[in-house]
Amino acid sequence: MFIINCPYCGERDQTEFSCGGEAHIERPKQPTELSDDQWAEYLFMRKNIKGIQFERWNHIHGCRKWFNVVRDTSNDKIHAVYKMGERPPIK
Amino acid sequence: MSNNLRINKNNFIDQTVRISFKFNGKKLFGYKGDTLASALLANNIHLVGRSFKYHRPRGIMTCGSEEPNAIIQVGKDPALTDPNVRATEIELYEGLEAFSQNCWPSVNFDIGGINNFLSPLLPAGFYYKTFMWPASFWEKYEFFIRHSAGLGKSPTKPDQDLYDHQYVHCDVLVIGGGISGILSAKLSAEKGLNTILIDDKSYLGGSTIYQDDDIFKINNETSNVWLKNQIEKLKRIPNLTIKNRTSVAAFHGYNYLLARENLTDHLSAHERKGKIRQRLLKIRAKKVVIATGAIERPLIFSNNDRPGIILSSSIKKYIDYYGVKTGENISLFTNNDSAYETAISLNKSGVKVKVIIDIRENPSSILSEKIEKTGIKILRGYTITNTDGYKRIKSIDVMKLSKDGGSVIGKKVTYKCDCLGISGGWTPMVHLFTQSGGKLKFRNNDNVFIPDENKTPSEQISVGSSNGDFELDDVINNTVKNIKIFLGLDKNKYENLDIKCSKEKQKRNIWLLPSNEAISKTKPFLDFQNDSTAKDVKLALREGFKSIEHVKRYTTTGMGTDQGKLSNMHALGIIADTTGTNMGELGTTTFRPPYTPLTFGAIVGRNVGEFFDHTRRTAIHDWHVENKAEFENVGQWKRPWYFPKNGETMYEAVQRESKAARVSAGILDASTLGKIDIQGEDASEFLNRVYTNAWSKLAIGKCRYGLMLNEDGMVYDDGVTTRLGENHYIMTTTTGGAANVLSKLEDYLQTEWPELNVYLTTVTDQYSTMSICGPNSKKIIKKIIPSLDLSDESFPHMSFKNSKIDNVNCRIMRISFTGEHSYEINVQSNYAKDVWERCIEAGKEFNITPYGTETMHLLRAEKGFIITGQDTDGTLTPSDLQMDWIIGKKKYDFIGKRSLYRSDTIREDRKQLVGLLTDDPKEVLEEGAQLVESLEKPIDMLGHVTSSYFSPNLNKSIALAVVRSGKKLKGKKLIVPMENKNINVTITDTVFYDKENKRLNA
């Protein structure tokens, strides 16, 4: 039960949020030009890291905004929070 | 009461308030301040239960939450009885009734005791080994095993007690009200921090509060007097909250903790009335101080489980705190100095201590010197090899230990005693620290796991004996020093206290003490509740189990209600010794929450009965209730299922409703369908991207059915969307999908297409929808809104008009989910019931028939319309549903489009939606039934039935199904094998009724 610092609302309990999986996977602009394999890569392949992971989160029971979170999955420490479209503040 | 077991001198027990209680039906007395355990001991009752496996007689062994034996049932009210309560934790109250568990017919004569004599036949893993084969027999064994196992009895009636949840926030949470916890709380609160101090007892002060010997002094006061003064001052600090009778159950990440506060368990029945029994505190603390203390270890020797064998420190507490003698002739057995403190207390209270057996050769300290002066016999370098006595210990056998401690030498001497105190050293309570994610380190010189301060996951600190400090000066000085750094404090008055105490000089530890008998003939118990012995652990190792986690599960060591608080360390030690590894490398088993058991009541709080989940009712709900609707739960919604008349069955009601809707008129409350208001200059483009079909050319005032996919190409949701204006649409979704569809649309708008200017608002609750269908629907609408032009030219199928019923604005859509000529009236919800009643009134002459979800499902199935979630399950593409017509072939992209021609989605042998007719038109298939081609084994499953009804309008059974390569199989005969018959069916078109859609304009 961690605390997430929503970039729009501030610190809130995890129960107010829902996780949307790995961040920075952009929907291809021209899906029809992709091979089956390329499309499958976008559709299905996700990282499952023990350690630093970039994730999408939604303040679903709050402002309903989506944003990005950098979380260490081994101890749930959150290293950064930033808005959609922004570059990750850490590598 | 045997008065001679209660001593008079006492500060903690109020001997003026006598309390009567019953144990196993016998009426007994105790005093205010007693626990059930102390009151039983004062009545000379040690035997309280039977062990789990061998049914050996077991007595009270401890004075706290680590108690493995005194597990009792409280009360016999079928709603309020409480199983598996520790007698050492429950405070005595007037009228308390308690019963022994796991024994039949009584604790004194227990038939299961025969297992004790069978014990050579019941080694570790006995059940796994014996009941493995033949596999099919397990069901037969299970009945008997389950019957003979089990501890307390569950209540059989609903719990009438009230429970509560509370969110709590603080700067500093201190867990544990012993001397280190009190110092921490005081330092924190005096700095001005909002502080909470939690302790599971009814009083503060831990074990120091009854430490009155002048060996232990702080600033020239005995330690108990000094501490008492500190507690008095503590209680006056305004920014400090003290929670007694509160036990921290779990320590999660980010300093989120759960604690259970007991509010009435110590009160008599009439004092409890109307009060909340327990409160679950959900605590978020900026900083946490763990001061949970340590638990004394037993010693592991043969027959170390007899009633009357008690932890040495517990004997001290019973005499010093409760004023109760645990025996008249007590011996002590130890490997450390704490037993000498017990001996001093007993000696002061006039209890005879026969002998102290110490496995150490030279244990000289202030404490031992004091004992020597009293003349109590001390045997140094000796061990107990066996004990005797069935329902109470009678004697002990003592022999000299060899130098290496691996065997015994010399002659056996027997001493009589009625109580034996044992002390194997101390185990810091690191449970909460590890629950929070902290890692432990092993200290070799006294064999303890303590918190590794470099591997602490959050803003927290462990102090006192939970951090491995066991002597008074270390406890105080290290606590003050570490808290000062942790809270960033200035110099304080506790830094230079004058502390006097005894220091332990020698340590010696032997995990499994040797005996003169072969190990196979001994019974050295490790886990007293689960009856696992050191032998079992050794057997597990011989059989190849190496990981501590595996040994634990195989032998059940540490799996009782005490969760191994007492002797997990010994199990680890024996494994390390036997395998020649270091305990630090072996690690511990995982400590999982809750620290002590929680009641279900505390976990669920007020979320029971009608508060278990939200209930959503439509604005027309009261009318449905008045008209005797049966309701169906659809998500959180209560939807009318059918409206039975004059004792009709569901089948009869649905047949009548379905017929009426096609013959004349029916009315459905469709308010639960999700409604999303979509506005913005890019609204049309947005719909183009989220639906499979084209939207740009939809004229204002027109409606269109849309199918929404996931990116994987599978059908996700469907519904009709209406263009209200140039940049304004209203989308309907399925009832169950409403919230998820909105979230999905928001996700795409915010993350993939932020350039689109679109606004989404959910209006599901703001508008109510009633659908009137049937050949007479037009006449009914005409009666309600005479001014509205209902001609097909002005108001054709799939169009919409704004209108008014009196002064109430309404949107009327001419859309149909039944295939009949029909209208949907949408009004603001607060007018809905009134408008509904006007529809019913106007429809009376046409026998307007209210119908529920079941009839709606039947009518749409006659037309072959799908219900997403019933006929689809997230594995069907539009093409699988034979809905290729809805794919906008010319559209460049929409959600899921690319997936529609992946190698997998273009396979021709995918499961596809088909219609089914039974050869016997009266035979109605079961939804979910499998479809096969032949009954020859192995039988190939081709698909299953998704929807099935008896159609009153066609007078035959109809069904929808998904079948492999179904599209190509029209006319094919298949079989539906059921439990006692095989049903022959034929694959057909999915549309059963009015294939030409003539009725839409009828």
Side-chain angles (χ1 to χ4, degrees), chain B residues 892-921:
Chain B
Y892 180 69
D893 192 13
F894 55 82
I895 296 172
K897 170 161 181 161
R898 175 62 186 83
S899 290
L900 296 180
Y901 54 94
R902 291 179 57 237
S903 58
D904 183 57
T905 47
I906 54 173
R907 275 191 300 121
E908 289 192 354
D909 63 344
R910 292 177 60 80
K911 283 189 180 171
Q912 291 147 355
L913 189 76
V914 296
L916 288 182
L917 287 174
T918 48
D919 286 6
D920 172 2

Side-chain angles (χ1 to χ4, degrees), chain A residues 3-23:
Chain A
I3 290 174
I4 298 172
N5 188 9
C6 170
Y8 303 92
C9 306
E11 288 193 345
R12 294 289 191 280
D13 200 284
Q14 185 195 341
T15 51
E16 293 185 16
F17 298 85
S18 73
C19 183
E22 192 181 340

Side-chain angles (χ1 to χ4, degrees), chain B residues 849-900:
Chain B
T849 301
Y851 63 89
T853 49
E854 195 62 21
T855 291
M856 174 186 83
H857 286 183
L858 191 159
L859 294 172
R860 64 85 208 180
E862 289 178 337
K863 288 294 297 174
F865 295 151
I866 58 156
I867 290 188
T868 54
Q870 174 158 347
D871 302 298
T872 71
D873 58 1
T875 67
L876 298 171
T877 66
S879 181
D880 296 339
L881 294 168
Q882 307 212 34
M883 290 172 80
D884 303 77
W885 53 269
I886 204 167
I887 307 296
K889 298 271 176 347
K890 290 181 197 154
K891 277 166 63 171
Y892 180 69
D893 192 13
F894 55 82
I895 296 172
K897 170 161 181 161
R898 175 62 186 83
S899 290
L900 296 180

Side-chain angles (χ1 to χ4, degrees), chain B residues 284-486:
Chain B
R284 191 71 86 164
K286 291 201 182 105
K287 294 187 175 202
V288 176
V289 179
I290 299 177
T292 45
I295 284 178
E296 192 169 33
R297 296 174 184 170
L299 288 164
I300 311 303
F301 52 99
S302 188
N303 291 310
N304 58 344
D305 66 325
R306 300 196 188 282
I309 299 181
I310 305 179
L311 294 182
S312 151
S313 62
S314 297
I315 293 178
K316 177 174 159 62
K317 182 169 181 185
Y318 283 118
I319 197 90
D320 284 345
Y321 187 91
Y322 298 105
V324 172
K325 295 186 260 187
T326 51
E328 311 261 26
N329 181 13
I330 299 178
S331 290
L332 296 167
F333 182 25
T334 189
N335 70 1
N336 69 94
D337 276 2
S338 14
Y340 294 87
E341 292 180 43
T342 306
I344 290 169
S345 289
L346 290 170
N347 192 50
K348 266 191 207 166
S349 304
V351 183
K352 191 174 155 198
V353 178
K354 182 105 165 212
V355 59
I356 299 176
I357 301 120
D358 194 326
I359 69 168
R360 298 173 297 175
E361 300 278 357
N362 298 303
S364 79
S365 65
I366 301 172
L367 282 164
S368 67
E369 281 157 19
K370 186 159 180 169
I371 287 298
E372 272 175 273
K373 281 179 201 148
T374 65
I376 294 172
K377 185 171 182 177
I378 304 174
L379 292 173
R380 296 189 176 88
Y382 279 76
T383 184
I384 295 180
T385 55
N386 202 355
T387 68
D388 196 20
Y390 187 56
K391 291 177 194 166
R392 177 83 178 257
I393 187 166
K394 282 184 188 146
S395 67
I396 50 174
D397 293 341
V398 178
M399 289 178 82
K400 179 125 182 80
L401 273 170
S402 66
K403 227 177 178 78
D404 65 356
S407 58
V408 283
I409 45 179
K411 256 177 69 180
K412 183 174 84 183
V413 185
T414 302
Y415 292 91
K416 286 201 181 313
C417 63
D418 62 355
C419 175
L420 174 69
I422 53 176
S423 176
W426 294 84
T427 299
M429 286 294 97
V430 293
H431 295 61
L432 296 176
F433 172 77
T434 58
Q435 275 183 26
S436 76
K439 298 277 178 276
L440 302 171
K441 59 183 180 188
F442 188 68
R443 195 164 70 192
N444 276 307
N445 71 329
D446 59 351
N447 296 292
V448 290
F449 282 100
I450 52 173
D452 186 337
E453 66 274 20
N454 297 318
K455 289 174 183 165
T456 302
S458 63
E459 287 272 315
Q460 59 167 299
I461 189 171
S462 293
V463 296
S465 50
S466 62
N467 197 37
D469 290 330
F470 299 127
E471 284 166 354
L472 188 66
D473 52 351
D474 295 339
V475 167
I476 294 176
N477 291 334
N478 290 338
T479 298
V480 172
K481 188 180 84 192
N482 293 333
I483 289 288
K484 188 178 165 187
I485 300 165
F486 182 59

Side-chain angles (χ1 to χ4, degrees), chain B residues 667-726:
Chain B
I667 183 165
L668 171 82
D669 181 358
S671 307
T672 63
L673 289 180
K675 295 177 273 289
I676 301 171
D677 186 272
I678 302 173
Q679 301 194 41
E681 59 191 17
D682 297 315
S684 302
E685 171 60 17
F686 180 62
L687 290 173
N688 262 335
R689 295 187 191 185
V690 299
Y691 277 132
T692 60
N693 44 351
W695 290 80
S696 309
K697 288 179 189 151
L698 184 71
I700 295 168
K702 297 286 182 194
C703 316
R704 183 165 286 172
Y705 173 77
L707 204 56
M708 202 182 285
L709 311 183
N710 275 324
E711 286 291 11
D712 62 5
M714 303 303 155
V715 171
Y716 177 67
D717 204 80
D718 66 344
V720 170
T721 295
T722 303
R723 190 165 195 176
L724 302 173
E726 176 63 29

